[in-house]
Structures are given as structure tokens and as C-alpha cells.
Amino acid sequence: MRRLSWAVPAVVTCALLAGCGSDESDDPADEQSAPTSTSTPPPTTSEPSGPSGPSSTPGGESPSTAPSMDPTTIATDLEAPWGMDFFADGDAIVTERDTRRVLRVTPAGEVTELGVVAEAEPTGPGAEDGLLGVALSPTFERDRLVYLYFTTAEDNRVVRTTLEDDRLGTDLEVILDGIPNAARHDGGRLEFGPDGYLYISTGETADPPLAQDKESLGGKILRVTPDGDPAPGNPFGTAVYSYGHRNVQGLAFDDAGRLWASEFGDQTWDELNLIEAGGNYGWPEVEGKGGAPTYVDPQQTWATDDASPSGLAYADGSLWMASLRGERLWRVTVEGKRAVDPRDYFVGKYGRMRTIAVAPDGTLWFTTSNRDGRGTPAEGDDLILQIRPEA
């Protein structure tokens, strides 16, 4: 494995107490590309469609009558927080896309800078590249390994380093490189599965044919060993686990070990997919539900105005999906291999939402993304907020 050096400045600690003072296919003017032709025309209604059937409003209810939860503010004044995972003690490790900082955030709101990834090269506000996903090793308490996904001048790559005494190691070990990169559609989510392998979401870098090219790492979900080798049993003998994706930024496993993914559409339909090994999810031939046996149809779709989904988490029988352009959280009930009854929360209240993750205590932490160059920051943005999911 090759190793890279990075800059680790002195640790800076600040107290940010709770309560103190698309993309991505997010917008046709920036994150969405021009309309593309599809082999199967999308539905003509603006309603979500999928195996569970269309519904004109979330769960058959208007947002005003849907159940509500009261978020607690964990941290404020962050800058485009992107990746999140949790230590066993309940603290979170968080990446900031454009500043390239890696942070520790406690439930009490204390923020400590663990390091700055000097090798990451974000294009700047409004773009989608930079320091993206983070995942702790499943055996972190023993090996102290932290995995990061970021953009360089040449590619997107996954690296790992150690964390000791709130300082990231001075070397980055490259475990997988050569992932196509661009200013947009870079994927970037990392998630260790119950099988111990690392799952990686990538985008097709606004070059749609890459999604159907099984020799390319772009527009895919990848599955590798902790050392970066193709995981045993992968369908094509490579790192590729599924393909035909436009830009996946959300990965989550349910309590039966099934993998779900949220995916940015182009001009019409965003998707929630149940991932099958070797499955072809259709892009760019199909956007949304196509019904062709060649492709795997999404479980749910949303008009891009209502979603532009990024992060995804599973808790208490439901998937929770953070939406950028839609400025809301979606909750979708999991019934076996079906995702049904979508309901939305906090519509427009906090602006763009990027990432959501389950904390060790069962609460959900989610981030705003109003300082990413595409939102309208409010005082205190960007935020990390916490809710306890309702049954």
C-alpha cells in the first residue's frame, strides 16, 4: 500500500453547548445535468412510485399532520459537515468537506479538531468534491483505524490512518485509488457492513456511461476488505458490488443485514434502492422506476424538488434519509425487502440536510449543509442536530 503525508495542526478545542448561540442532483442550475434520454420514460405523475405503490403525500398524511419530534442542537458553526461515524463512548467523528477538517464532537457539544487532510483538494463552495466520507474500523478499539474518502487532483480515493490521543496519524495509507473524480457526482459514503467488509459509494462524475461500465469504479457501490482488496464473493471478481448508479451518497444496513442506498436522480426521480450483489440499477438508461427485467427498480422514488437525498440511516424498523434540495428528513418503513409509507419531517425548518447517522444510544444525529455554496446559511449554521426516532 502507498502512503501519503498529511498536515496535523495543534488540537483546537471549543465548547459548543447544545442550544447555544442535488447534488448531487440538487438544483438544475448546478447539481443537475441537462435532461438525458431514457430507454423507459419516467412516470408522468409527480408522485413517489415503487414496489409499495404511489402516494401523493407522505404516508397518506400532509406534513402538518405527520408526527413531530423536537430536535436538540448538538453543535453549531460547522462548515459543510459531510461524513459521520461514532466512537463507542458516543462521541462522533465528523468530516468537513471544504475545510478538510476531521472533528470529534461530543453529545455535550464540545468540538475538537483531530487533523486536516492536506491531500484532499476540494474545488470550492458549490462543488461536490473534497473530504467526504469517514468510517471507523469495526475493531477500532483494538486497531485505532480511521477510513476516509476524499478527492485529489487525480482521483477519488479511500485511505486509512490511526487515531491516538485525539491526533490523527501523520501517514495516510491508500487502500483504494483510481476512483473517477470531478467537481460533481463523486459519491463518497463509507459504511462497514455486518460482514466486516467496507462498502463505498461512488458517482459517475457527470459522465453517465461510466455507470454501466463494469470496468470503471465510477457510478458504483464497491465492496472491499479492510485492506482494500476486492471482497471474496463479489459478483465480478473486482471491487464492484452493484452498478448503474448516478450518484449514491447514502448507505445503510437494516437489522437483517440488507443494504439500502439513496441516490440522486437527474431531472425527475431520486431513488431509494435495495442493493443486490451484481444488480444493475439502470442509470443512464433508466431514471426512476423502469419496469424492465434488465434493471433493478427502486423501492421508492421522489421528485427531485422533494428530496435530492444524501445521507441514509436505519433505526427501529425505518430508514431515515437526509435531503438537500428537499430540505427535510424522510422516514421510510422497512417491511422485509420492501420500503413503504414515506413520511417527511422538518420541511424547510433547517434548510439543506446532508448526513444522518445512528448514535450508540439509539438517537439520530443529522447535519445541515447550508454553508456548502448552495444553501442560505442562517445564524449558527451548519448544525448537528439530534432526535430520538419515534416508533
Side-chain angles (χ1 to χ4, degrees), residues 210-296:
L210 288 185
Q212 290 294 318
D213 180 0
K214 292 195 288 290
E215 299 302 314
S216 170
L217 298 180
K220 309 294 189 298
I221 294 174
L222 311 177
R223 177 177 176 258
V224 300
T225 69
D227 294 327
D229 299 318
N234 278 4
F236 310 112
T238 67
V240 173
Y241 190 70
S242 63
Y243 67 109
H245 298 290
R246 184 172 182 267
N247 191 26
V248 170
Q249 285 190 4
L251 297 174
F253 288 90
D254 65 22
D255 54 12
R258 292 178 289 254
L259 176 61
W260 301 82
S262 53
E263 181 168 347
F264 293 97
D266 183 17
Q267 296 291 318
T268 313
W269 299 115
D270 296 322
E271 299 179 4
L272 175 64
N273 286 296
L274 176 61
I275 301 302
E276 302 173 3
N280 182 349
Y281 287 79
W283 180 254
E285 303 304 320
V286 175
E287 180 182 0
K289 183 179 180 182
T294 308
Y295 308 116
V296 181

Side-chain angles (χ1 to χ4, degrees), residues 50-53 254 258 260 272 274 299-300 317 319 332-341:
S52 60
D254 65 22
R258 292 178 289 254
W260 301 82
L272 175 64
L274 176 61
Q299 291 282 314
Q300 290 288 335
L319 291 160
V332 186
T333 302
V334 174
E335 295 182 353
K337 295 183 178 181
R338 300 182 65 213
V340 300
D341 192 22

Side-chain angles (χ1 to χ4, degrees), residues 47-69:
E47 299 155 345
S49 62
S52 60
S55 59
S56 58
T57 56
E61 303 181 55
S62 67
S64 61
T65 61
S68 62
M69 291 166 285

